[in-house]
Amino acid sequence: MMEHWLPSHRGRRSRGGPPSAATVLAHLSLLSGLFQRLGRRAEYDAATGVGNPCSSPEVGDFRRAYPRLMARAGMLPLSAKPLAEGKYRALVAYLWGAYAACRCVLRRLVILRDLLCAQYMWKTSMRGHDTGKLSRIDFVDPRNPRRVYEGPPFTPAPGGGLVGPTHVCVAEVITKTYQDSRAPRVDLAADAEPAYCFIRTLVLYLSLCRCAEAPPGAALLHYLFKPLRSDRRGFKEEPLSSTALSARLRLHLTLAGLYEGEACHSFRRGTLQHAEANGLSREALLQFGQLRSDSTLRLYLDPQRHQAERPAKRRK
């Protein structure tokens, strides 16, 4: 990375500067995935040369240090482009169409997983990382939030029908904002429009996870949204990373002819701006975004922030 790729990167040659932090981290993630597909999944052992070279303490330090070096040099990342409500609705319609056109249970599960992530991020404003690690214990009893919810759709409905509650309550264990406790509860009610209803989609998704044709790893043990195994024939019992989720959403937006540079964080910025446009108060917006400061909220609500770089503030 330091001796060959960075000096010869086309961005450096064309603009005379180093690649952005996002570019470097994306390439490291790509390399890590390639090594995993080659069977090198363990942490790297420099003495034997065995394992994934991207899973080493040195590369971990480099991942954290490079963005800080770029920030000190005045190169701050652009904010994500906000996702408009119309584009969100078009994406949901495209995903339902892709689901209807597919007969493979595995592919249907992947499509529903991606759709659920999109619906959840739009309806809650949660970040991609916090969405990807959503787990069974994050769903709590609305009458007693200290208890994990045990009703439908997490338990099969009598008679095996597609039955779900009228609302669910989520209080995530550890998020970016709340590092030592559950995040504030979020209540999700059934949507009047079935295509955009998170609960309806969740019921369908979990019923497929339990069906006889479900692929290995589909059963809900802990994580709700899981990545595919390297052989693409089942799921791994681990959270879906924000990088993987962003790549999936980018793929869907591209295939639908909608992609204009959006990422996972586009949902968070877009739904907060949409809520403000619909008259939500400042206090309600802070609660909706699970934000603790007005200054951070103003950054999310700035409709032009993604269009121009902000100069870094240098310490004196």
Side-chain angles (χ1 to χ4, degrees), residues 94-174:
Y94 165 80
L95 287 169
W96 277 120
Y99 172 83
C102 178
R103 292 293 175 265
C104 171
V105 174
L106 175 64
R107 292 184 62 190
R108 280 192 155 195
L109 280 171
V110 171
I111 292 170
L112 287 177
R113 179 201 66 188
D114 299 345
L115 174 57
L116 279 167
C117 288
Q119 290 174 332
Y120 185 75
M121 287 191 293
W122 182 263
K123 291 183 178 298
T124 66
S125 82
M126 296 301 286
R127 299 173 177 86
H129 171 76
D130 296 328
T131 299
K133 73 175 188 64
L134 198 65
S135 71
R136 178 69 184 82
I137 63 173
D138 292 326
F139 290 82
V140 297
D141 189 329
R143 294 166 297 182
N144 184 2
R146 295 184 178 182
R147 296 180 58 186
V148 175
Y149 176 69
E150 298 292 350
F154 297 106
T155 56
L162 297 179
V163 179
T166 56
H167 76 282
V168 294
C169 181
V170 182
E172 282 202 53
V173 179
I174 311 301

Side-chain angles (χ1 to χ4, degrees), residues 2 42 148 238 303 307 310 315:
M2 295 297 294
V148 175
E238 61 183 56
Q307 295 180 354
R310 299 299 197 267
R315 294 181 179 180

Side-chain angles (χ1 to χ4, degrees), residues 243-287:
T243 301
L245 175 56
S246 188
R248 291 292 303 175
L249 294 174
R250 182 169 62 248
L251 173 65
H252 294 311
L253 287 166
T254 301
L255 293 175
L258 301 168
Y259 182 65
E260 294 179 308
E262 291 85 0
C264 285
H265 224 56
S266 299
F267 286 78
R268 183 166 168 81
R269 296 196 70 222
T271 193
L272 281 167
Q273 292 180 19
H274 175 68
E276 183 195 35
N278 284 341
L280 214 62
S281 68
R282 220 63 170 181
E283 293 74 18
L285 285 169
L286 286 168
Q287 183 178 4

